[in-house]
Amino acid sequence: MTARPMPRRRRPSGTALLAVLLLLAACGIVPPTSSPNASAHASPGASGVAATPFPLPSLDLGGEVSVGAISRHLEALDAIARQHGGIRAVGTPGYDASVEYVAAELEAMGYTVSTPQFSVHTFAEEPGGTLTVMDGGPTFEAGDDMHAMIYSADGEVTARVATVGFPGSDGGEGNRGCSEGDWEEFPAGRIALTPPGPCLRRDTVEHAQDAGAVGLVVANDQWEPGEARRPTLLSPDGIDIPVISAVGEVGEALDDAAEAGTEVGIRVDTRTGDAGVRNVVAQHGSAGPVVMLGAHLDSVMDGPGINDNASGAAAALEIAHLLADAGHSGTVRVGFWAAEEFGLHGSRDYVTSLSSAEIDAIAAYLNLDMLGSVNAVPMVYANFGGPDGSSTITDFLVAWLQADGVAAEREDLGNGSDHFFFAQADIPIGGIFSGASEEKSEDQAAANGGQAGEPMDPCYHLVCDTIDNVDAEQVATYAQAAAAAMLALLEGQLTTGQ
Ligand SMILES: [Zn+2]
């Protein structure tokens, strides 16, 4: 998951469901005009302006998502990571054990379970990578302060450095390496240094290669020593140079080297290959509209991924459980996706495997990725311009959470998680998210508590994303909202027009 939440307007919270709904009528929510169970839109593009209440249907979920059950799944997936080298990344035994775990849980609930296999590009970085500033400068070792990005080419290069895309640097547009214009003045044969930009890392690499760079370092000055993350380049195809993701300190050393004209040596040893990996797809019921829920099951390569995303997987398991026990019309289908951290490969493989009739049969897809952030900002997916019907799900989730005393923001997550390919297939989407490495604002802290100026998830994509990095109670609260939306969609009390 990567998403950068923009600050949004706040809302008052509420009490017991129905009473609060009427209360909300006075407080106000912004539902779309399109669907019959929504009310007038306040004003286009604005979120948070109270208009008319979203009429939440009365639903009998037959129970609550239990915090104990959520914790059991989190502990099981945390233990799986500890038993498999601290990670559950795709292509590793930790991921396979995670697949076995959720498949067994779903079978025990009475779901029909399949584990469709597909081929994915695997990636590994061998120990021993270094970045050295010559003439007695510092040496950084791959591990905490820098990583080869997923699908980086391996190799050894030594060259001078040129900075690109920093505001005012080297005559470029200052668009952080994301525009061709940033690279017009780039001296071929150098190692490029850029800040992280508002585009896919792969785009920056392609610009760098076209400009003749022999290596690329993307240094993030928000990352403290020991906090390097490892973005993905989506595929090894077309990546010909070593590509490094580094903390601010490395960026400063390279900036000095660029200034001084000092050479820098980069050495990385990476392996790419292909492997068959499995999604888990489970179904309950076989008639009527299919309503889908999904969560990625893989972790990053550098940590156990318990908030990202054992929290979503645990929530999906307990929602599946609740719906199976509650009884429902329609068909519940739950997907646990592989290789999200490598580039949404599992959900893409699933969606592209569907016929158009199968796509048409899916009334909605809800995505759950990172529900347990310890300094959370509750966010509901609101893909402006997304498939018709999505905003109905958005408004339902906002209203339901509001009734539960949670003032959720509406957030456009773009291509930040597994909902993306469902939206691309024009399937109405929704979802819940609680924040990644972005800092919480004063306003957000005022509305939801927690620490302003601190990351929403301080262990995002790091080795410390363990069981201690998840708020299980919050996961249960968000899961209850998603379960309610699923049941309302299954019962036809919430319609997406699909
Ligand atoms: Zn994630």
Side-chain angles (χ1 to χ4, degrees):
M1 162 69 80
T2 53
R4 279 185 291 280
M6 281 79 64
R8 306 251 170 218
R9 285 189 49 171
R10 290 271 115 236
R11 306 225 163 140
S13 60
T15 53
L17 185 55
L18 274 176
V20 169
L21 287 176
L22 299 170
L23 186 64
L24 286 175
C27 304
I29 289 187
V30 181
T33 52
S34 56
S35 78
N37 49 35
S39 52
H41 228 305
S43 56
S47 61
V49 180
T52 51
F54 184 88
L56 281 167
S58 70
L59 293 164
D60 180 9
L61 273 158
E64 303 256 318
V65 170
S66 111
V67 179
I70 293 284
S71 298
R72 182 172 67 82
H73 298 313
L74 294 173
E75 277 148 21
L77 293 165
D78 188 70
I80 283 172
R82 277 183 279 114
Q83 289 149 12
H84 297 92
I87 64 171
R88 300 177 310 103
V90 75
T92 73
Y95 178 75
D96 292 333
S98 303
V99 165
E100 301 305 334
Y101 177 77
V102 297
E105 289 286 322
L106 291 157
E107 264 150 19
M109 297 171 197
Y111 278 72
T112 307
V113 179
S114 66
T115 55
Q117 180 158 313
F118 67 100
S119 177
V120 75
H121 295 301
T122 56
F123 176 80
E125 182 178 8
E126 302 302 323
T130 56
L131 184 151
T132 302
V133 177
M134 302 304 177
D135 305 340
T139 290
F140 299 92
E141 288 175 9
D144 296 339
D145 294 335
M146 66 171 224
H147 293 297
M149 290 193 196
I150 296 171
Y151 302 133
S152 161
D154 73 341
E156 207 162 329
V157 292
T158 301
R160 287 175 57 190
V161 177
T163 61
V164 176
F166 292 91
S169 80
D170 295 324
E173 288 173 19
N175 190 27
R176 308 170 76 83
C178 288
S179 311
E180 221 168 305
D182 281 342
W183 297 86
E184 272 161 12
E185 317 269 322
F186 182 80
R190 303 263 179 105
I191 291 169
L193 171 67
T194 77
C199 61
L200 294 171
R201 291 293 166 271
R202 186 180 179 88
D203 299 342
T204 308
V205 177
E206 288 171 353
H207 287 310
Q209 291 181 164
D210 293 346
V214 294
L216 169 67
V217 178
V218 179
N220 188 325
D221 60 12
Q222 303 294 309
W223 293 347
E224 301 298 325
E227 289 191 348
R229 274 80 171 187
R230 190 194 301 262
T232 179
L233 301 174
L234 305 179
S235 165
D237 305 336
I239 304 294
D240 310 320
I241 60 175
V243 183
I244 304 289
S245 170
V247 299
E249 206 186 333
V250 177
E252 283 155 31
L254 288 180
D255 200 33
D256 295 344
E259 197 105 359
T262 311
E263 289 203 323
V264 164
I266 292 177
R267 187 183 58 197
V268 286
D269 185 357
T270 64
R271 304 253 184 280
T272 57
D274 294 298
V277 297
R278 297 170 293 167
N279 286 329
V280 179
V281 179
Q283 184 154 314
H284 193 267
S286 57
V290 175
V291 180
M292 273 200 84
L293 180 68
H296 74 89
L297 191 54
D298 61 315
S299 76
V300 289
M301 292 169 56
D302 307 294
I306 305 305
N307 188 32
D308 189 7
N309 186 35
S311 66
L317 283 172
E318 283 312 302
I319 293 165
H321 202 170
L322 202 65
L323 293 172
D325 288 355
H328 57 83
S329 319
T331 299
V332 177
R333 191 180 299 157
V334 192
F336 296 81
W337 312 122
E340 188 268 357
E341 300 292 4
F342 279 33
L344 312 180
H345 297 306
S347 54
R348 186 185 54 191
D349 182 79
Y350 175 75
V351 173
T352 50
S353 75
L354 299 173
S355 68
S356 56
E358 287 166 330
I359 285 176
D360 291 346
I362 301 174
Y365 172 79
L366 271 65
N367 196 59
L368 302 174
D369 195 345
M370 301 183 67
L371 303 190
S373 302
V374 292
N375 192 30
V377 169
M379 287 173 257
V380 166
Y381 292 29
N383 271 46
F384 307 115
D388 286 348
S390 305
S391 55
T392 310
I393 303 169
T394 305
D395 291 326
F396 178 100
L397 290 169
V398 169
W400 183 281
L401 286 166
Q402 190 109 44
D404 234 358
V406 176
E409 299 188 359
R410 292 156 193 264
E411 188 59 37
D412 186 341
L413 277 102
N415 57 9
S417 190
D418 293 301
H419 60 287
F420 179 68
F421 287 105
F422 288 88
Q424 295 285 94
D426 214 25
I427 294 168
I429 58 108
I432 303 176
F433 170 50
S434 59
S437 54
E438 308 82 12
E439 286 181 1
K440 181 178 275 195
S441 72
E442 294 288 346
D443 276 0
Q444 289 167 330
N448 283 295
Q451 299 292 306
E454 292 298 322
M456 297 167 196
D457 178 352
C459 288
Y460 173 62
H461 282 191
L462 295 175
V463 70
C464 59
D465 185 10
T466 67
I467 187 90
D468 302 323
N469 184 51
V470 183
D471 180 336
E473 212 162 310
Q474 176 182 293
V475 174
T477 301
Y478 295 177
Q480 190 77 17
M486 291 282 294
L487 189 61
L489 288 158
L490 288 160
E491 304 292 328
Q493 291 174 299
L494 187 62
T495 54
T496 59
Q498 186 72 0

